[in-house]
Amino acid sequence: QLQLVESGGGLVQPGGSLRLSCAASGFTPNYYSIGWFRQAPGKEREGVSCISSSGVSTNYADSVKGRFTISRDNDKNTVYLQMNSLKSEDTAVYYCAAVRYGTCRTSGMTYWGKGTLVTVSS
């Protein structure tokens, strides 16, 4: 079965850091762009970051630029999201998703993980 499994979420203090992992199984993500998305309570799901299949191209939402870094290790079938200087508004369920030969779009991803909750609070 094709699966994406997120891990690394939890409770973090404002200003703290957290690294999320997205592990792929059942398929090789080498030819897939991988995106991180998040959804806060009562809000629409939004794109956070995206990385191309080769890792040479990355994109970030304006709200996380300079604070978050996306990376991938195709040998480990894993994509990471390093989150620094976390703010309360970063609180959300974070999802990773994959799309082959395409750009990361909220409505255009092929495979989705079930999400991991990130709570930023004192």
Side-chain angles (χ1 to χ4, degrees), residues 1-6 22-30 32 34 74 76-79 96 98 111-113:
Q1 294 181 344
L2 306 179
Q3 294 183 347
L4 291 172
V5 180
E6 304 93 338
C22 174
S25 63
F27 74 106
T28 301
N30 299 46
Y32 291 77
I34 305 294
N74 285 342
K76 296 181 178 180
N77 292 336
T78 302
V79 174
C96 67
Y111 307 112
W112 286 87

Side-chain angles (χ1 to χ4, degrees), residues 37-94:
F37 302 81
R38 67 186 182 186
Q39 186 167 22
K43 301 185 69 176
E44 296 289 330
R45 184 171 55 189
E46 63 177 351
V48 176
S49 184
C50 181
I51 188 167
S52 63
S53 59
S54 65
V56 300
S57 179
T58 59
N59 291 290
Y60 300 91
D62 289 340
S63 60
V64 306
K65 286 182 179 178
R67 300 189 297 119
F68 291 10
T69 302
I70 190 170
S71 62
R72 67 190 299 161
D73 186 341
N74 285 342
D75 290 337
K76 296 181 178 180
N77 292 336
T78 302
V79 174
Y80 306 95
L81 183 67
Q82 179 66 47
M83 305 185 295
N84 299 325
S85 302
L86 284 163
K87 306 174 181 179
S88 60
E89 53 261 44
D90 294 318
T91 296
V93 176
Y94 284 72

Side-chain angles (χ1 to χ4, degrees), residues 6-12 18 20 36 39-41 83 90-95 114-120:
E6 304 93 338
S7 62
L11 177 63
V12 190
L18 197 65
L20 304 182
W36 284 97
Q39 186 167 22
M83 305 185 295
D90 294 318
T91 296
V93 176
Y94 284 72
Y95 303 87
K114 294 183 178 180
T116 185
L117 177 62
V118 173
T119 302
V120 185

